Amino acid sequence: MRTSVIALCLLCCGTAEAQTAQEEIKANRYLSGSNYLDYDRYLPTTPLTAAPKDYEPFYMSHYGRHGSRWLISEGDYTSPLNTMRDADAAGKLTPEGKAVLQKLEAFYPTTIKRLGELTTVGERQHHGIGSRMAKNFPEIFKAKNVPIDARSTVVIRCILSMEAECEELAAANPTARIHNDVSESFQYYLNQPWEGEVRKKGRSASKLRNEYNKKLTNPERLMKVLFNDQQYVYDEIRAGALMRQLFEVAANMQSHDTDIELYSLFTDDEVYNQWKQRNIGWYLDYGPAPQTGSVMPFSQLNLLKNIIETTDTIVPLSVGGDLQSPTAKTPQATLRFGHEVCVMPLACLLELGQCGARVENLDTLDNVWRNYRIFPMACNVQLIFYRPKKGKEGDILVKALLNEREVSMPGQPVTGPYYRWADVRQYYLGKIRKFENAD
């Protein structure tokens, strides 16, 4: 990668590591939630780079994850709750353990029949994103009668996230022609499952992932805080599993407007180590990990194809001064809504910033690759296309935003974070061909 691209990546992605991941997490424990991180607790603070001279944005291609949600499975809540209930019945909880049980008991009723559903925090995240889209790119979203095509997976939390975002776009521009659609027929690219080589390599990672889980989970201190009989812990408690379960609940409390918290159960080192094992696990399962053949991002092959194919129907590669291309005249947007298991590998497949980094030594992974930068709740990829202004000629340019932060793309930028779409398109098509021909 050229020096200028690396410099841009360091500037735009925050990968000039002024702080280690451990320091960042100590300063903001919410980051340790990985995919449970509340989007609004990690908003960008750097203004976007102005468009190049004589250029204007006219098209956005987007994929976004649903907002904050309840945990997915009943057992996510009941497994630690039942363990603590049993210990309480046996008289084995410390006062601190009883306090934890009380918190679990208080929160559990809110989860009934709401597993995996969007929370008010999640809805609020998407209202914010939609509002900022209109503010950041008024040339697109405030254009008269602008067509906006929004599609979602069939999962309710994704549909509601789409609706929240589109409500803001409609409020910003009552003339916008917004088309919302949800169908099983979109699933092949909006939520592509593991297939072929990706499926094979993904399964191969379980042993290594489990080794790191065990290595980085040290529950002894916590067990002494919660239980008054360590022999009981030895005989009856799966200590490592309980620690991870409690951390999962603690991390996802930021998905709710609640005063209940469990993060205080853990020391700074424990919080970091719990995050670190999850960072490694997500990298193996969805990142460009050499340990899984660097193929896992291709789980989103169909999504990348859809992005390119849809863009080809709207965006010319260059524009003449008379703007003769009908599509070049019409600002518009394509919005897609799904899941973090799509956003993360898509960002890696697109090689946005440091997302495409290949790290051999997983012990040092977080020096380069940090999952909370990629896939918080409501995470999103926005590709913004720029054309020459009326009367001007030139190539179509593209800029990538990851969670509303400018990031580098493959190749040489024209200026700042702006790239020739023809070059980027050619690179991605070549990447697709190479993968498909290797099968």
Side-chain angles (χ1 to χ4, degrees):
M1 186 177 286
R2 295 176 177 88
T3 303
S4 60
V5 178
I6 294 175
L8 175 64
C9 177
L10 295 179
L11 174 65
C12 296
C13 295
T15 52
E17 305 301 352
Q19 282 188 306
T20 65
Q22 189 165 13
E23 289 169 340
E24 281 191 338
I25 290 170
K26 184 176 181 179
N28 180 2
R29 281 196 169 193
Y30 294 107
L31 301 179
S32 69
S34 299
N35 57 318
Y36 300 138
L37 172 61
D38 173 7
Y39 191 89
D40 291 341
R41 295 182 185 273
Y42 195 54
L43 291 173
T45 57
T46 303
L48 298 179
T49 304
K53 184 180 179 182
D54 294 329
Y55 271 84
E56 62 184 359
F58 75 105
Y59 175 60
M60 175 188 286
S61 184
H62 155 284
Y63 188 99
R65 181 197 184 189
H66 59 77
S68 288
R69 57 164 170 77
W70 273 267
L71 294 174
I72 295 291
S73 302
E74 179 78 5
D76 292 335
Y77 296 106
T78 57
S79 290
L81 177 57
N82 289 337
T83 297
M84 299 300 286
R85 282 173 173 171
D86 290 344
D88 188 43
K92 301 300 182 182
L93 290 183
T94 64
E96 293 86 349
K98 286 181 178 290
V100 170
L101 175 58
Q102 185 177 24
K103 290 179 179 181
L104 294 174
E105 294 279 18
F107 189 76
Y108 176 65
T110 73
T111 74
I112 296 172
K113 295 186 178 181
R114 301 229 62 169
L115 296 172
E117 292 186 357
L118 192 72
T119 67
T120 55
V121 173
E123 182 183 21
R124 192 160 62 237
Q125 291 158 357
H126 279 281
H127 277 287
I129 293 168
S131 177
R132 289 188 296 275
M133 277 183 177
K135 180 181 178 181
N136 290 335
F137 305 105
E139 298 90 343
I140 298 174
F141 291 104
K142 295 186 179 180
K144 186 176 181 180
N145 298 322
V146 59
I148 300 172
D149 184 75
R151 301 184 179 190
S152 168
T153 69
V154 296
V155 179
I156 292 174
R157 60 182 176 271
C158 301
I159 299 170
L160 292 176
S161 295
M162 174 180 69
E163 291 296 329
E165 211 157 293
C166 288
E167 284 174 7
E168 291 294 331
L169 298 177
N173 182 0
T175 73
R177 295 184 288 114
I178 302 175
H179 174 67
N180 295 125
D181 205 353
V182 179
S183 173
E184 287 282 355
S185 66
F186 307 147
Q187 291 291 100
Y188 78 96
Y189 72 88
L190 286 182
N191 193 15
Q192 182 181 353
W194 282 359
E195 299 169 330
E197 186 67 12
V198 171
R199 182 182 178 89
K200 178 182 175 182
K201 291 293 187 181
R203 286 178 170 179
S204 72
S206 59
K207 182 179 179 182
L208 183 56
R209 188 189 321 108
N210 290 338
E211 287 175 0
Y212 272 95
N213 286 350
K214 184 176 180 180
K215 175 182 176 181
L216 293 168
T217 301
N218 300 291
E220 294 78 16
R221 185 206 63 83
L222 181 61
M223 295 303 104
K224 291 176 181 177
V225 169
L226 298 177
F227 303 101
N228 58 27
D229 184 343
Q230 295 309 298
Q231 187 62 46
Y232 174 83
V233 171
Y234 182 82
D235 293 337
E236 303 292 338
I237 306 294
R238 295 173 57 234
L242 177 61
M243 184 177 192
R244 287 188 290 270
Q245 291 163 2
L246 288 171
F247 187 83
E248 197 90 347
V249 176
N252 197 51
M253 283 298 185
Q254 61 188 292
S255 293
H256 302 273
D257 292 317
T258 178
D259 293 330
I260 298 174
E261 71 82 31
L262 291 170
Y263 260 139
S264 57
L265 270 178
F266 305 93
T267 67
D268 289 338
D269 285 345
E270 289 167 349
V271 168
Y272 168 67
N273 284 329
Q274 285 296 302
W275 169 79
K276 186 173 183 177
Q277 63 187 262
R278 287 162 175 78
N279 193 51
I280 290 170
W282 281 100
Y283 184 67
L284 291 172
D285 285 346
Y286 295 98
Q291 296 81 359
T292 43
S294 300
V295 303
M296 301 311 292
F298 286 96
S299 65
Q300 298 313 301
L301 179 66
N302 289 339
L303 178 54
L304 177 55
K305 285 182 176 180
N306 177 265
I307 289 171
I308 294 173
E309 290 165 2
T310 303
T311 302
D312 284 347
T313 68
I314 298 170
V315 177
L317 297 181
S318 62
V319 173
D322 56 359
L323 285 177
Q324 287 299 308
S325 168
T327 54
K329 292 182 181 180
T330 309
Q332 53 192 289
T334 303
L335 311 181
R336 308 167 185 85
F337 294 85
H339 307 269
E340 82 269 46
V341 295
C342 304
V343 174
M344 170 169 281
L346 175 65
C348 296
L349 188 58
L350 294 174
E351 300 177 40
L352 303 183
Q354 291 292 82
C355 294
R358 300 182 182 185
V359 180
E360 295 285 350
N361 183 358
L362 294 176
D363 290 317
T364 64
L365 175 65
D366 59 56
N367 290 341
V368 177
W369 199 92
R370 303 176 189 177
N371 62 18
Y372 51 77
R373 292 177 173 171
I374 306 173
F375 71 156
M377 293 289 188
C379 57
N380 56 90
V381 172
Q382 300 176 20
L383 301 180
I384 317 300
F385 293 81
Y386 291 75
R387 65 185 178 188
K389 291 181 178 179
K390 188 174 182 179
K392 303 294 182 179
E393 297 185 3
D395 298 318
I396 296 296
L397 304 182
V398 63
K399 172 171 72 174
L401 304 184
L402 177 60
N403 302 322
E404 302 177 73
R405 294 166 168 84
E406 292 172 342
V407 287
S408 62
M409 301 180 79
Q412 181 71 40
V414 173
T415 180
Y418 297 94
Y419 295 75
R420 290 180 68 247
W421 169 236
D423 294 342
V424 174
R425 178 182 179 277
Q426 182 179 22
Y427 178 85
Y428 290 145
L429 289 174
K431 193 171 182 177
I432 290 170
R433 283 193 298 270
K434 183 177 180 181
F435 176 76
E436 291 184 327
N437 292 337
D439 286 349

